[in-house]
Amino acid sequence: MTTDGTVSQVPTVMHVRCPDRLPEETYRQVLEQLAELSPVVQALPPMAALVELKGALRYHGPDTRRLGEVLRVRTLSRLGVDVRVGIGSSITVAATASAQLPQPGGVLAIAPEKAADWLGALPVDALHGIGPRQAEVLADYGIRSVGLLAAVPPATVQRLLGGRAGRTAADRARGIDPRPVVPRALPAAATVRHAFPRHTLDGAPVRAALLDLVVRLGLLLRRRDQAARALTLTLTFAGNSSWTRTRRLTEPSAHDDDLRTLAYQLMDAAGLQRGRLTALALKGEDLIGADQVAQQISLDDARENRLVAEAAVDRVRDKFGPRIIGPAAVFRRAS
């Protein structure tokens, strides 16, 4: 990290491969886990996705390999799905890296300064974007490694593979791939979870945990420029039984005030007495883009002040991390 706090020489693209024949609903849930790491997720159905990590580094630190490991732990523990994660300075490097990992899962991060040497040692058909037919043509001319492909003049590669395909192959063999990760098909839901270290009865600890989920969900939605039309609360009890209810918000929102009010209503509807809780999950559902939410003039000065404060708190979190500030009840529970 440089002296001005910016991240340099860090691979910033993640390519994720899910298991073959993954059900569509489970694939959507994997996308949801990716969106918790970064707001810039590009779905590549039916079983892959790209993630732009530049913004995520501000929250999670510059260790991109650790981000890949965090993702694997989350998908395994929450969904029972292992993934292969490639991380590099471009889509080509990241996607090539993820393909080199054996199933069921793993993480391979390629540092930018090592990308050319790492790519050069691979067989030419391992380069992301090179199809079997192209690899066969190159092999006929003795070009069997990415390093050899990078050494051949681009004009020659164009004659062998055709104009556009040749230019693309020559560039990618040299690690040149300026394509950005384009946000596409963000999941229509966002879920945050809390597991209690021991069986817990309803009371202050449960309310504090629920408030923490509200804050985390609101921050996640605002980072993704989305708003929820509905909330679903799931309570898990000792013995693995559960209770789930969904209610719609009066207006789509990503603001803590609105989410907290409805989340508390859902908790009250559970009518807990002596139930021993082991976990909570709060899901924002039927999500829409924040730009689709109608902006209404409000005469409620107190609410407007809270929204201004919320925006200021978000800026603090952007600078210092998402857990640096929050409701006192949440911090008392964590201490």
Side-chain angles (χ1 to χ4, degrees), residues 117-164:
D117 290 340
W118 180 79
L119 285 173
L122 296 175
V124 72
D125 60 355
L127 183 65
H128 181 69
I130 296 290
R133 177 58 184 156
Q134 292 175 323
E136 184 179 332
V137 171
L138 293 171
D140 286 343
Y141 287 88
I143 304 171
R144 293 185 172 85
S145 72
V146 178
L148 285 173
L149 178 59
V152 174
T156 302
V157 182
Q158 288 180 252
R159 286 195 296 272
L160 296 178
L161 300 181
R164 176 179 295 181

Side-chain angles (χ1 to χ4, degrees), residues 250-311:
T250 305
E251 298 287 344
S253 179
H255 298 303
D256 293 353
D257 264 4
D258 303 324
L259 302 179
R260 180 180 62 248
T261 299
L262 186 56
Y264 283 1
Q265 290 174 1
L266 286 165
M267 179 64 82
D268 292 341
L272 295 178
Q273 293 180 355
R274 303 298 295 174
R276 293 178 298 157
L277 286 168
T278 59
L280 304 175
L282 187 65
K283 179 188 288 188
E285 300 206 70
D286 197 9
L287 303 185
I288 62 173
D291 57 353
Q292 296 177 259
V293 179
Q295 301 296 320
Q296 299 183 6
I297 297 175
S298 173
L299 301 178
D300 185 346
D301 291 340
R303 175 179 171 79
E304 291 302 311
N305 289 338
R306 287 194 296 272
L307 294 182
V308 170
E310 180 182 83

